Amino acid sequence: MADLQAAVEALAARLGCAVLVEDVRHHPLWWSAQGEVDAVRMGSILQREAPPLAAAMVARLGIARAEQPVRTPALPEADMAERWCVPVRESGVLHGYLWVLDPHRKVSEDDVAEALPVAGLAARTIARLQPDADERDRRRAVLLSRLQAGSNPDAARALVDLEDLSTDAVVVVNQPRVTGGWALPDGMTAHVDPRPGGAHTSGPPVPLEQLGVAVWRAVVTRRAVRAGARLFRPTWDALGSWHLVVTAPPDLSPGLIHPGADLLRSQRRDDLLVTARCVLDNAGDVTLSADELHIHRSTLYYRLN
């Protein structure tokens, strides 16, 4: 890493511009001690991440797919000056970005080619610092297990560092599994920072530290569906009155709520139990219940009596 820092300083001296190397999530790793800087450069170093407007511009310009240096325009609303961006790649894998701040356009396309060897050294260094895939998977599985057991700030911070997530990352859980997530026990998957508006078994996102809450919500939602809950979508936020059922104490039986429940269950035939359940599910709508039960309304009234 000392060699890379020395290379960054030497490149800045040759070009006469500030140089910064960051990872794929725009966290600064190495930077020069000389050269003119703007608010984005200063903020990246002090806040340990790029301002949202700057990160959005990188995504909009498709710089993550670039193979050669790209000159980015000024972004006055973010106090971001023009600069060169050199993708930091190793064997085709993007590991970060090398930035050359050039507000006065004194670095030509030929000049910025001097940054390519430094970008290559940065890619090899970052790749060497990252854990191998198997070790990463093992560490992630351990941290996910700790988070499922209960709120654990230390495990959440360790997972944020391991996966290079934002400190305010949120999570949802799906059951059955959905592609693109981390595998969890019992056919579930966890998804970090899901797109807004999605429907997930555990409902709205919760802080990463509360993964155990999301898991519990997904489990009880699926349990309610298996028990016969008719929901407009199988998610925690669609349970409605079923929230009272899934959050009831384990030792609470239907008979304790109303003695008629045990009486209905004791009948030799289940006609009355099925009818009562249907009418309750339909909020007392007799016409709809009669249609669903395929009986005449007078028969339904007789059973209710």
Side-chain angles (χ1 to χ4, degrees):
M1 290 190 288
D3 291 343
L4 179 54
Q5 181 62 47
V8 167
E9 296 284 4
L11 177 63
R14 290 196 302 273
L15 298 180
C17 297
V19 175
L20 169 71
V21 177
E22 62 186 19
D23 63 18
V24 292
R25 291 187 176 271
H26 308 294
H27 298 154
L29 301 175
W30 298 274
W31 54 88
S32 64
Q34 58 184 313
E36 181 181 357
V37 299
D38 58 7
V40 169
R41 160 71 185 266
M42 186 65 66
S44 295
I45 295 174
L46 295 179
Q47 303 298 325
R48 303 299 296 170
E49 62 182 2
L53 284 176
M57 185 197 69
V58 171
R60 185 173 67 253
L61 295 178
I63 295 177
R65 299 186 297 274
E67 299 291 339
Q68 299 297 325
V70 176
R71 187 172 187 88
T72 64
L75 198 64
E77 58 268 35
D79 197 8
M80 179 177 179
E82 291 189 37
R83 62 231 304 134
W84 283 97
C85 179
V86 183
V88 173
R89 294 184 183 277
E90 169 75 354
S91 302
V93 178
L94 180 69
H95 291 290
Y97 307 93
L98 184 152
W99 297 92
V100 178
L101 188 63
D102 186 26
H104 307 298
R105 287 181 161 266
K106 63 182 180 180
V107 178
S108 68
E109 191 170 342
D110 290 337
D111 294 333
V112 81
E114 294 190 42
L116 296 177
V118 181
L121 176 60
R124 293 189 295 273
T125 303
I126 295 173
R128 188 172 66 250
L129 292 174
Q130 293 175 338
D132 61 71
D134 291 341
E135 174 63 12
R136 187 189 191 95
D137 290 345
R138 187 193 67 78
R139 289 166 59 184
R140 182 195 307 120
V142 170
L143 293 172
L144 289 174
S145 178
R146 291 171 60 189
L147 287 169
Q148 288 180 78
S151 179
N152 191 319
D154 291 338
R157 284 192 292 270
L159 188 58
V160 164
D161 292 340
L162 177 66
E163 298 297 332
D164 206 10
L165 304 173
S166 63
T167 54
D168 58 352
V170 294
V171 66
V172 295
V173 172
N174 282 306
Q175 188 184 43
R177 289 175 176 168
V178 175
T179 58
W182 295 327
L184 299 175
D186 302 321
M188 293 183 287
T189 46
H191 304 261
V192 176
D193 294 335
R195 291 182 178 179
H200 306 282
T201 314
S202 63
V206 299
L208 186 61
E209 180 184 332
Q210 297 180 20
L211 173 64
V213 172
V215 168
W216 178 81
R217 289 179 176 178
V219 168
V220 298
T221 297
R222 296 302 300 177
R223 188 182 302 158
V225 171
R226 288 193 296 269
R230 295 185 296 180
L231 313 175
F232 68 92
R233 65 171 181 244
T235 63
W236 167 260
D237 47 329
L239 282 177
S241 60
W242 273 84
H243 281 292
L244 298 174
V245 178
V246 300
T247 57
D251 59 348
L252 181 63
S253 68
L256 291 175
I257 298 175
H258 195 289
D262 287 337
L263 181 61
L264 288 174
R265 295 173 63 185
S266 68
Q267 303 297 306
R268 296 181 61 183
R269 294 177 54 178
D270 64 358
D271 298 9
L272 298 183
L273 180 62
V274 171
T275 300
R277 170 66 180 276
C278 183
V279 173
L280 289 172
D281 281 343
N282 291 324
D285 190 322
V286 172
T287 301
L288 178 58
S289 299
D291 289 342
E292 289 189 3
L293 293 170
H294 305 293
I295 59 177
H296 194 274
R297 289 180 61 179
S298 61
T299 303
L300 178 59
Y301 282 123
Y302 174 77
R303 290 184 180 178
L304 290 177
N305 287 333

